[in-house]
């Protein structure tokens, strides 16, 4: 039995679609505090000419500004792709309570793949992590995006 997607992940998937339309890798991120969305972002590396403008990084910065604090206690990051090592480290430093992601990223992920940031002894804060939420939708967006760039879409 399929369960409905939580609304923050639905919104993150919408942002990922917007990123793809902008020529960016289709990744979207939403940060919630309880049921309230406090920040949202899409990948913007090409548009901002900023290699650190991953959806998660932009959303974390916006949430900190919106809440007036550098610590995002009580907040959850919803993202359409497993965060890379940079974004996972930022989630830890921001003290996010939880990270929820859609598709795994065996090549560039930093949570359950690659660096496994939250499993490192040097990681001072480990958010609760759950993946696979909206995985099929996110994976299809990514396949379509990269297929079009490789002439298979």
């Amino acid at each position: 039995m399929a369960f409905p997607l939580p609304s923050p992940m639905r919104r993150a998937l919408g942002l990922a679609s917007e990123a793809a339309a902008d020529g960016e890798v289709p990744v979207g991120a939403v940060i919630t505090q309880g049921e309230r969305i406090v920040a949202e972002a899409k990948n913007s590396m090409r548009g901002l000419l900023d290699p650190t403008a991953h959806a998660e990084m932009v959303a974390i910065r916006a949430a900190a500004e919106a809440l007036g604090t550098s610590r995002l206690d009580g907040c959850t990051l919803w993202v359409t792709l497993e965060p890379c090592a940079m974004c996972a480290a930022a989630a830890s430093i921001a003290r996010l309570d939880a990270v929820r992601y859609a598709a795994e990223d065996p090549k560039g992920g930093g949570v359950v793949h690659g660096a496994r940031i939250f499993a490192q002894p040097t990681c001072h804060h480990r958010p609760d992590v759950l993946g696979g939420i909206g995985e099929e939708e996110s994976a299809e967006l990514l396949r379509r995006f990269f297929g079009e760039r490789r002439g298979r879409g």
Side-chain angles (χ1 to χ4, degrees):
M1 175 164 110
F3 294 97
L5 276 180
S7 59
M9 187 59 80
R10 245 191 336 272
R11 178 64 187 138
L13 286 163
L15 291 162
S17 291
E18 290 176 23
D22 293 343
E24 302 274 0
V25 174
V27 178
V30 169
I31 295 180
T32 57
Q33 188 177 54
E35 298 295 313
R36 179 175 71 111
I37 291 177
V38 294
E40 59 181 44
K42 57 189 175 186
N43 267 2
S44 303
M45 296 170 298
R46 294 174 67 135
L48 294 176
L49 304 176
D50 178 355
T52 70
H54 292 198
E56 301 96 305
M57 298 295 288
V58 177
I60 287 169
R61 289 178 192 129
E65 185 173 336
L67 296 173
T69 181
S70 63
R71 291 204 171 199
L72 302 179
D73 300 306
C75 293
T76 298
L77 169 65
W78 301 81
V79 62
T80 59
L81 185 63
E82 174 186 349
C84 70
M86 173 183 68
C87 294
S92 174
I93 292 165
R95 302 296 196 264
L96 284 160
D97 281 3
V99 173
R100 304 291 183 248
Y101 67 88
E104 289 188 359
D105 186 357
K107 186 176 178 182
V111 177
V112 298
H113 296 93
R116 295 186 170 110
I117 294 296
F118 304 139
Q120 300 306 314
T122 54
C123 182
H124 297 292
H125 174 76
R126 293 170 178 82
D128 180 64
V129 175
L130 182 62
I133 304 166
E135 181 174 17
E136 290 177 27
E137 295 91 333
S138 178
E140 179 55 31
L141 273 171
L142 289 158
R143 273 192 297 275
R144 192 174 331 124
F145 178 82
F146 287 112
E148 288 170 1
R149 268 131 198 88
R150 295 179 183 126
R152 292 180 288 207

